Amino acid sequence: MELTHENFRAMIYYDFRRGLSQQQYINQFTSTFDDEAPSKTTIYHWFSEFNRDRRSLTDEFKGHPKSVVVLKNIDAVHELVIQDRHLTFRAIEASLGINVTSIHKILHEHLAVKRICSLKKRLVSIDAKKCLKIQS
């Protein structure tokens, strides 16, 4: 039977509520599950989370939603850079409210920019291609 992270967390929570110490739990868990048991660090982490009154067994969402890199934001970054090619990532971030990682992804993956100094030339050629597609 394959146990999920939530299954292990439920067992950790149960033994936490029973009052077992972390070391007692680790000894019991490794003797029962051997290689399948979570690491000691994971067990310490979840014991401390339950000590802080956490009751959810699921992972919390971390990071930014992928919806930040959408066509609207790609076009907005494109327009900002066309207006001022010396614009910094931080200035774009402040203007659009998009994090630096997403801006980097937009510039390098969606606008195919390899170097910032070649950015304006590349973006102008992208505009030209868009105009050709619209006119066709």
Side-chain angles (χ1 to χ4, degrees), residues 25 118 123:
Y25 182 75
S118 66
L123 294 178

Side-chain angles (χ1 to χ4, degrees), residues 23 59 130:
Q23 193 56 50
D59 288 324
K130 284 183 181 178

Side-chain angles (χ1 to χ4, degrees), residues 73-88 91-98 103 119 123:
N73 290 337
I74 293 169
D75 289 340
V77 169
H78 179 232
E79 289 302 318
L80 281 174
V81 174
I82 287 294
Q83 291 170 8
D84 181 8
R85 68 182 179 148
H86 298 291
L87 205 57
T88 64
I92 297 171
E93 179 184 32
S95 176
L96 300 176
I98 302 172
I103 294 167
L119 182 62
L123 294 178

Side-chain angles (χ1 to χ4, degrees), residues 1-20:
M1 179 167 145
E2 188 71 27
L3 295 173
T4 65
H5 293 292
E6 285 80 15
N7 296 133
F8 282 117
R9 290 174 195 155
M11 289 185 263
I12 294 170
Y13 181 69
Y14 173 76
D15 287 333
F16 168 80
R17 295 286 293 186
R18 282 183 41 213
L20 283 178

Side-chain angles (χ1 to χ4, degrees), residues 44-89:
Y44 288 132
H45 168 75
W46 281 98
F47 261 83
S48 64
E49 287 292 313
F50 296 137
N51 261 336
R52 289 187 214 117
D53 291 328
R54 178 172 176 176
R55 299 297 176 246
S56 173
L57 301 177
T58 58
D59 288 324
E60 292 178 353
F61 178 72
K62 293 182 180 179
H64 298 279
K66 293 185 180 191
S67 63
V68 171
V69 182
V70 293
L71 189 57
K72 179 182 108 179
N73 290 337
I74 293 169
D75 289 340
V77 169
H78 179 232
E79 289 302 318
L80 281 174
V81 174
I82 287 294
Q83 291 170 8
D84 181 8
R85 68 182 179 148
H86 298 291
L87 205 57
T88 64
F89 279 55

